[in-house]
Amino acid sequence: MSATSSPCTLLKSGTQLYIPDESYGYLPATVQSDVLETSSTISVIITLPSDWNSTTLVPENEGKDPPLQYQERKVPLSSFLVNNETPSLEHRSHGSGDSYSSTQTGQLEYYFPLMAAEVSNDGDGVDCDGLGDLTKMKFVHEASVLYAIKSRLAKKKPYARAGDIIISVNPFQWMHDIYS
């Protein structure tokens, strides 16, 4: 009798991550059931921020599709394979472990852009509203930085810091609190 090993779990149910999206770049989502190395898709539910409708430009075809909030999606696991289109091993967070959940199975390596379930504000870092220095976020990767900048702009704060670099987004409106 040969012993068989059970497949490795890549992601646990309830994990929050960003999934790739053609219209928006990334969407925040929650994994619905454990993802095993033998899986071909990840079952997720889209979990949009409460200010999504008031702070997001909706593509023209969006009105024809069902609402995004709590929409179930099956995302191909191959969307998270490490290749020339996905982040490299150099993407690390500052002091909190990896920015991505990394799992290597056989010859395949996956990177999952994680969301911080709760982010503390250490005075100069980023709080739940995406304020402060972006390099101090718990998870620093393309999706988390884009959502932090979007959150700041929604709060009429078009400037963000990333260490010694200032990131500026054109708000396309006059902001009386900033400019006199």
Side-chain angles (χ1 to χ4, degrees):
M1 180 190 319
S2 65
T4 59
S5 61
S6 59
C8 173
T9 301
L10 300 178
L11 286 173
K12 294 206 177 278
S13 176
T15 301
Q16 294 180 310
L17 74 159
Y18 293 98
I19 60 169
D21 181 77
E22 235 177 79
S23 298
Y24 297 102
Y26 296 95
L27 289 172
T30 303
V31 176
Q32 291 306 291
S33 57
D34 288 357
V35 179
L36 304 176
E37 65 183 338
T38 56
S39 305
S40 60
T41 60
I42 300 174
S43 179
V44 298
I45 289 189
I46 308 248
T47 51
L48 301 176
S50 58
D51 63 354
W52 180 266
N53 291 333
S54 63
T55 63
T56 306
L57 292 175
V58 179
E60 290 179 22
N61 67 342
E62 186 66 28
K64 300 176 183 108
D65 295 334
L68 285 174
Q69 184 69 308
Y70 305 120
Q71 184 185 94
E72 292 184 37
R73 286 203 185 164
K74 299 255 187 229
V75 182
L77 193 55
S78 60
S79 299
F80 301 99
L81 274 173
V82 174
N83 60 30
N84 60 356
E85 299 292 321
T86 57
S88 65
L89 293 171
E90 287 83 35
H91 288 88
R92 302 285 182 207
S93 69
H94 298 272
S96 304
D98 292 345
S99 297
Y100 290 76
S101 171
S102 171
T103 306
Q104 190 165 3
T105 60
Q107 297 300 316
L108 301 177
E109 189 169 6
Y110 299 95
Y111 276 86
F112 303 102
L114 301 177
M115 290 173 46
E118 57 181 73
V119 182
S120 62
N121 186 351
D122 62 0
D124 194 28
V126 174
D127 61 20
C128 296
D129 295 331
L131 308 174
D133 189 346
L134 299 178
T135 62
K136 300 208 177 191
M137 292 191 307
K138 184 172 181 181
F139 298 122
V140 180
H141 48 74
E142 182 181 2
S144 65
V145 169
L146 289 172
Y147 271 84
I149 291 170
K150 180 182 183 307
S151 175
R152 288 187 58 79
L153 187 59
K155 291 169 179 34
K156 302 201 181 295
K157 296 181 180 197
Y159 301 104
R161 281 185 37 224
D164 292 338
I165 299 168
I166 299 295
I167 299 170
S168 176
V169 178
N170 186 344
F172 294 101
Q173 64 183 342
W174 189 259
M175 299 191 155
H176 297 285
D177 294 343
I178 295 177
Y179 312 113
S180 54

